[in-house]
Amino acid sequence: MGFADFPFESRYVRVAGHRLHYIDEGSGPTLLFIHGNPTSSYLWRNVIKPLRQHYRCIALDLIGFGKSDKPDIDYDFSAHYRYLDGFVKALTLTDITLVGHDWGGVLAFQLAQRQPQRISGLCFMESFPFTFDWDEFPLAARPLFFAFRRPRLGPFLLMRQNLFLNVVLPLSVFRHLPHSVMAAYRAPFRQREQRRVILAWPNELPINDRQGATWQLVRKIEQALPEMRQPMLLLRFHPGAVLGETRIHWLKQQLPQLEITDCGRGLHYVQEDQPEAIADAIKLWRQRQTPATSLTHMSVTVVESDRYQGPLYWRWGHSPLGPVMAAWSDQGLVHLVPDTDPQQAREELAQRFPNAKLESQHSHQLDPLWRADSELALHLVGTAFQRRVWQQLLTIPAGETRSYSELARILDSQARAVGQAVGHNSIAFLVPCHRVIKRDGSLGGYRWGLALKKQLLANEPLTEGR
């Protein structure tokens, strides 16, 4: 299959009296791709081709774009969201991983915040779920976009001259776009009136000099970012156009579940420059969301110590549940902690074992920790009481929970003391402290965040009798 071809079956669904075009390829967990201005589902073609072997890949044309209807409506952000919301409901989509670009990323954040029960993850690139000033806008593009927002000049440039498609799009890609690709992008907008939707989006940009209805909506999205608990992936490109290093650092502070993957060289329409890298990054990220194998299917031996001062072999890497720092003694695994920052993870390990000799060791692979046929040795290092609590955690079957007070009765102790020992557990997932909840059935605390605890419990196999 060639770079320009679009070998997918066209489908249509009616939303609010108008037809939306979409493609629906492959089977498996659902990925919903949302484009921005002035593109369509065609933008995602070379990303979807490899992913449809493992996932159900759905990409729609937003109202006014691609092969979707182009009614005489106000193409503001609220209108696009209403049609997107109607599309998701019309296809009865659930457990969706959103993949958004440009305005499609902003719409994805709105959908994830308003319907969190439907959205299991969010990947975005070259998008702006925040308000900003002109000085953050790409310097080379400022005069042009300022002109696009002028009452008379904007329609002349965008509707009469079709400048967004003829100039902005090809100049925002490193790769030379062949005639066949440009023809596919231009096809939905042959007539001047069909370009009204292209004109609308630059005037919707949430720049702080216009604080209208769309600015207010994006501001609400921005303010709600720290409350979002879905796993998220930001794909970073160099030099990029929308997201600079300062803003990426800001997003990392705002989004508690954010991972960042570098996908190489790209400007704005990065799907044309790096489709394979984007597909690989999404696939690897989704694989890391797969729940870990239950300990009940492993052969486990346990070694215990009050303290440890010998050599520790450590490795930071990816697990099915995200980035982790793992460390082994000669007796077994002593440390397994979720952490997206390898330097911070190593410092934490050094603080926990101040007298141990830390040795980076790539021969210790992480994969065997998640295989059902593994023979796993755990080395529990802590006080005698902590080790008693951790041993008790190992007896809780997958799919079941125990309360702090239940464990306290078994151990002839108090719930508070048990809770403190549970909180000191440093072998995440495998010593299942996530299976301990409060007596009233609420989750209680979790050292690595309640979102991860909820995810672990939701993905464990149910057992009979409880």
Side-chain angles (χ1 to χ4, degrees), residues 295 297-301 372-377:
L295 268 179
H297 300 296
M298 295 179 177
S299 174
V300 179
T301 59
D373 59 352
S374 293
E375 295 183 1
L376 187 62

Side-chain angles (χ1 to χ4, degrees), residues 110 113 215-225:
Q110 176 92 312
Q113 290 181 358
W215 186 94
Q216 297 289 344
L217 286 172
V218 177
R219 178 63 172 161
K220 288 181 180 179
I221 292 172
E222 176 183 353
Q223 292 172 336
L225 293 179

Side-chain angles (χ1 to χ4, degrees), residues 11 63 78-79 96 104 112 119 126 132 168 175 186-187 247 267 273 298 312 318 329 331 356 377 389 415 421 461:
R11 304 170 186 266
I63 190 69
S78 294
I96 313 164
I119 310 305
E126 280 295 293
F132 54 92
V168 176
R175 186 200 302 262
R186 290 188 182 110
R247 182 58 78 171
L267 290 171
D273 280 319
M298 295 179 177
L312 280 180
H318 292 291
S329 71
Q331 287 76 43
V389 173

